[in-house]
Coordinates of all heavy atoms in Angstrom, one line a residue:
A1 N -12.6 8.1 7.3 CA -13.2 9.4 7.0 C -14.7 9.4 7.4 O -15.3 8.3 7.4 CB -13.2 9.8 5.5
C2 N -15.1 10.6 7.7 CA -16.6 10.5 8.1 C -17.2 11.8 7.6 O -16.8 13.0 7.9 CB -16.7 10.5 9.6 SG -18.5 10.3 10.2
C3 N -18.1 11.7 6.6 CA -18.6 13.0 6.2 C -20.3 12.9 6.0 O -20.8 11.8 6.1 CB -18.3 13.5 4.9 SG -17.3 13.2 3.7
L4 N -21.0 14.0 6.0 CA -22.4 13.9 5.9 C -22.8 13.9 4.5 O -24.0 14.3 4.2 CB -23.0 15.1 6.7 CG -22.6 15.2 8.2 CD1 -23.2 16.3 8.8 CD2 -23.1 14.0 8.9
L5 N -21.9 13.7 3.5 CA -22.2 13.9 2.1 C -22.2 12.6 1.4 O -21.2 11.8 1.7 CB -21.3 14.9 1.5 CG -21.3 16.2 2.1 CD1 -20.1 17.0 1.7 CD2 -22.6 17.0 1.7
L6 N -22.8 12.2 0.4 CA -22.8 11.0 -0.3 C -21.8 11.3 -1.5 O -22.0 12.2 -2.2 CB -24.1 10.6 -0.9 CG -25.1 10.2 0.2 CD1 -26.5 9.9 -0.4 CD2 -24.5 8.9 1.0
I7 N -20.7 10.6 -1.5 CA -19.7 10.7 -2.6 C -19.6 9.5 -3.4 O -19.7 8.4 -2.9 CB -18.3 11.0 -1.9 CG1 -18.6 12.4 -0.9 CG2 -17.2 11.3 -2.8 CD1 -17.3 12.5 0.0
S8 N -19.2 9.6 -4.7 CA -19.0 8.5 -5.5 C -17.7 7.8 -5.1 O -16.7 8.3 -4.9 CB -18.8 9.0 -6.9 OG -18.5 7.9 -7.7
L9 N -17.9 6.5 -4.8 CA -16.8 5.6 -4.3 C -16.3 4.7 -5.2 O -17.1 4.0 -5.9 CB -17.3 5.0 -3.0 CG -17.9 5.9 -1.9 CD1 -18.4 5.1 -0.7 CD2 -16.9 7.0 -1.5
S10 N -14.9 4.3 -5.1 CA -14.3 3.4 -6.0 C -14.1 2.1 -5.1 O -14.1 2.2 -3.9 CB -13.0 3.8 -6.6 OG -12.1 3.9 -5.5
D11 N -14.0 1.0 -5.9 CA -13.9 -0.3 -5.1 C -12.5 -0.9 -5.5 O -12.3 -2.1 -5.6 CB -14.9 -1.2 -5.7 CG -15.3 -2.3 -4.5 OD1 -14.9 -2.1 -3.4 OD2 -15.8 -3.3 -5.0
S12 N -11.4 0.0 -5.7 CA -10.2 -0.5 -6.2 C -9.5 -1.4 -5.3 O -8.6 -2.1 -5.6 CB -9.3 0.8 -6.6 OG -9.2 1.5 -5.4
H13 N -9.7 -1.4 -3.9 CA -9.0 -2.2 -3.0 C -9.8 -3.3 -2.4 O -9.2 -4.1 -1.4 CB -8.5 -1.3 -1.8 CG -7.7 -0.1 -2.2 ND1 -6.4 -0.3 -2.6 CD2 -8.0 1.3 -2.3 CE1 -5.8 0.8 -2.9 NE2 -6.7 1.8 -2.9
A14 N -10.9 -3.6 -3.0 CA -11.7 -4.7 -2.4 C -11.1 -6.1 -2.7 O -11.3 -7.0 -1.8 CB -13.1 -4.6 -3.1
D15 N -10.2 -6.2 -3.7 CA -9.6 -7.5 -3.9 C -8.3 -7.7 -3.4 O -7.5 -8.4 -4.0 CB -9.9 -7.9 -5.4 CG -11.4 -7.9 -5.8 OD1 -12.1 -8.5 -5.0 OD2 -11.7 -7.6 -6.9
S16 N -7.8 -6.8 -2.5 CA -6.4 -6.9 -2.2 C -6.1 -8.2 -1.5 O -7.0 -8.9 -0.8 CB -6.2 -5.9 -1.1 OG -4.9 -5.9 -0.4
D17 N -4.8 -8.7 -1.6 CA -4.4 -10.0 -1.2 C -4.3 -10.0 0.4 O -4.0 -11.0 0.9 CB -3.1 -10.4 -1.8 CG -2.0 -9.4 -1.5 OD1 -2.3 -8.3 -0.9 OD2 -0.8 -9.7 -1.8
C18 N -4.4 -8.9 1.1 CA -4.4 -8.8 2.5 C -5.8 -8.6 3.1 O -5.9 -8.2 4.3 CB -3.4 -7.9 3.1 SG -3.4 -6.3 2.4
S19 N -6.8 -8.6 2.3 CA -8.1 -8.2 2.8 C -8.7 -9.2 3.8 O -9.4 -8.7 4.8 CB -9.2 -8.0 1.6 OG -9.3 -9.3 0.9
D20 N -8.4 -10.4 3.7 CA -8.8 -11.5 4.7 C -8.2 -11.2 6.1 O -8.9 -11.4 7.1 CB -8.5 -12.8 4.2 CG -7.0 -13.0 4.0 OD1 -6.4 -12.0 3.7 OD2 -6.6 -14.2 4.2
V21 N -7.0 -10.7 6.2 CA -6.3 -10.5 7.4 C -7.0 -9.1 7.9 O -7.1 -8.9 9.1 CB -4.8 -10.2 7.2 CG1 -4.2 -9.8 8.6 CG2 -4.2 -11.5 6.7
A22 N -7.2 -8.1 7.0 CA -7.8 -6.9 7.5 C -9.2 -7.0 8.3 O -9.4 -6.3 9.1 CB -8.0 -6.0 6.3
D23 N -9.8 -8.1 8.0 CA -11.1 -8.4 8.5 C -11.0 -8.6 10.0 O -11.9 -8.5 10.8 CB -11.9 -9.5 7.8 CG -12.2 -9.1 6.4 OD1 -12.6 -8.0 6.3 OD2 -12.5 -10.1 5.7
R24 N -9.9 -9.0 10.5 CA -9.5 -9.4 11.8 C -8.9 -8.4 12.6 O -8.6 -8.5 13.7 CB -8.8 -10.7 11.8 CG -9.3 -11.9 11.1 CD -8.6 -13.2 11.6 NE -7.2 -13.2 11.2 CZ -6.8 -13.6 9.9 NH1 -7.7 -14.0 9.0 NH2 -5.6 -13.7 9.7
I25 N -8.4 -7.2 12.1 CA -7.9 -6.1 12.5 C -8.8 -5.1 13.2 O -9.6 -4.6 12.5 CB -6.9 -5.4 11.6 CG1 -5.9 -6.2 10.9 CG2 -6.1 -4.2 12.2 CD1 -5.0 -7.1 11.9
T26 N -8.6 -4.9 14.5 CA -9.5 -3.9 15.1 C -8.7 -2.6 15.6 O -9.2 -1.5 15.6 CB -10.0 -4.3 16.5 OG1 -9.0 -5.0 17.4 CG2 -11.0 -5.5 16.2
H27 N -7.4 -2.6 15.8 CA -6.6 -1.5 16.0 C -5.3 -1.6 15.2 O -5.1 -0.7 14.3 CB -6.4 -1.2 17.5 CG -5.4 -0.1 17.7 ND1 -5.8 1.2 17.6 CD2 -4.2 -0.1 18.2 CE1 -4.9 2.1 18.0 NE2 -3.9 1.2 18.4
G28 N -4.5 -2.5 15.5 CA -3.3 -2.6 14.8 C -2.2 -3.6 15.6 O -2.3 -3.6 16.7
G29 N -1.2 -4.0 14.8 CA -0.1 -4.8 15.5 C 0.5 -5.6 14.4 O 0.4 -5.4 13.2
I30 N 1.5 -6.5 14.9 CA 2.4 -7.4 14.0 C 1.6 -8.5 13.8 O 1.1 -9.2 14.8 CB 3.7 -7.6 14.7 CG1 4.4 -6.3 15.0 CG2 4.5 -8.4 13.6 CD1 5.6 -6.5 15.7
V31 N 1.4 -9.0 12.5 CA 0.9 -10.4 12.2 C 2.1 -11.1 11.6 O 2.5 -10.9 10.5 CB -0.4 -10.3 11.2 CG1 -0.8 -11.7 10.8 CG2 -1.4 -9.4 11.6
W32 N 2.6 -12.0 12.5 CA 4.0 -12.7 12.1 C 3.7 -13.8 11.0 O 4.7 -13.9 10.2 CB 4.5 -13.3 13.4 CG 5.2 -12.3 14.3 CD1 4.8 -11.9 15.5 CD2 6.4 -11.6 14.0 NE1 5.6 -11.0 16.0 CE2 6.6 -10.7 15.1 CE3 7.4 -11.6 12.9 CZ2 7.7 -10.0 15.2 CZ3 8.4 -10.7 13.1 CH2 8.6 -9.9 14.3
T33 N 2.5 -14.3 10.9 CA 2.3 -15.2 9.9 C 2.2 -14.5 8.5 O 2.3 -15.2 7.4 CB 1.0 -16.0 10.1 OG1 0.0 -15.1 10.3 CG2 1.2 -17.0 11.2
E34 N 2.0 -13.2 8.5 CA 2.0 -12.4 7.3 C 3.4 -11.6 7.1 O 3.5 -10.9 6.1 CB 0.7 -11.5 7.2 CG -0.6 -12.1 7.3 CD -0.7 -12.9 5.9 OE1 -0.3 -12.5 4.9 OE2 -1.6 -14.0 6.0
N35 N 4.1 -11.6 8.0 CA 5.4 -10.9 8.2 C 5.2 -9.4 8.0 O 5.9 -8.7 6.9 CB 6.4 -11.4 7.1 CG 7.9 -10.9 7.5 OD1 8.2 -10.8 8.5 ND2 8.5 -10.5 6.4
A36 N 4.1 -8.9 8.6 CA 3.8 -7.5 8.3 C 3.1 -6.8 9.5 O 2.6 -7.5 10.5 CB 2.9 -7.4 7.0
I37 N 3.1 -5.5 9.4 CA 2.3 -4.7 10.4 C 1.0 -4.2 9.8 O 1.0 -3.8 8.7 CB 3.1 -3.4 10.9 CG1 4.4 -3.9 11.7 CG2 2.4 -2.5 11.8 CD1 5.4 -2.7 11.9
F38 N -0.1 -4.4 10.5 CA -1.3 -3.9 10.0 C -1.9 -2.9 11.1 O -1.9 -3.1 12.3 CB -2.4 -5.1 9.9 CG -2.1 -6.1 8.8 CD1 -1.0 -7.2 9.1 CD2 -2.7 -6.1 7.7 CE1 -0.9 -8.0 8.1 CE2 -2.4 -6.9 6.7 CZ -1.5 -7.9 6.8
V39 N -2.3 -1.8 10.5 CA -2.9 -0.7 11.4 C -4.1 -0.2 10.8 O -4.4 -0.2 9.5 CB -1.9 0.4 11.6 CG1 -0.7 0.0 12.5 CG2 -1.5 1.0 10.4
Q40 N -5.1 0.3 11.6 CA -6.3 0.8 11.2 C -6.3 2.3 11.7 O -6.3 2.6 13.0 CB -7.5 0.1 11.8 CG -8.9 0.8 11.5 CD -10.1 0.1 11.9 OE1 -10.2 -1.1 11.4 NE2 -10.9 0.6 12.7
G41 N -6.2 3.3 10.8 CA -6.2 4.8 11.2 C -7.5 5.3 11.1 O -8.5 4.8 10.7
T42 N -7.7 6.3 11.8 CA -9.0 7.1 12.0 C -8.8 8.6 11.9 O -7.8 9.2 12.2 CB -9.7 6.8 13.5 OG1 -8.7 7.4 14.4 CG2 -9.9 5.4 13.6
A43 N -9.9 9.2 11.3 CA -9.9 10.6 11.2 C -11.4 11.0 10.9 O -12.1 10.3 10.3 CB -9.0 11.2 10.1
A44 N -11.7 12.2 11.4 CA -13.1 12.7 11.1 C -12.9 14.1 10.5 O -12.0 14.8 10.7 CB -13.9 12.9 12.5
P45 N -13.9 14.4 9.5 CA -13.9 15.7 8.8 C -14.2 16.9 9.7 O -14.9 16.8 10.6 CB -14.8 15.6 7.8 CG -15.8 14.6 8.3 CD -15.0 13.7 9.1
N46 N -13.6 18.0 9.3 CA -13.8 19.3 10.1 C -14.9 20.0 9.4 O -14.6 20.6 8.3 CB -12.4 20.0 10.2 CG -12.6 21.4 11.0 OD1 -13.6 21.7 11.6 ND2 -11.6 22.1 11.1

């Protein structure tokens, strides 16, 4: 998301058990050692 406004943000996903893998994802694909698909989505506000 991309906005020009400062919004109160939560940190509920900071400690996810897949956050270490997420650090290495630039677009998306299969990570077989995790037996999962990881994707990074994008969108901009209108």
Side-chain angles (χ1 to χ4, degrees):
C2 186
C3 358
L4 302 176
L5 303 162
L6 292 176
I7 304 170
S8 175
L9 304 175
S10 67
D11 204 21
S12 58
H13 299 287
D15 299 321
S16 170
D17 60 353
C18 56
S19 60
D20 57 332
V21 180
D23 290 335
R24 304 192 297 270
I25 301 298
T26 56
H27 177 68
I30 305 171
V31 180
W32 286 106
T33 53
E34 299 291 331
N35 196 44
I37 293 171
F38 291 82
V39 293
Q40 178 174 299
T42 61
N46 183 359

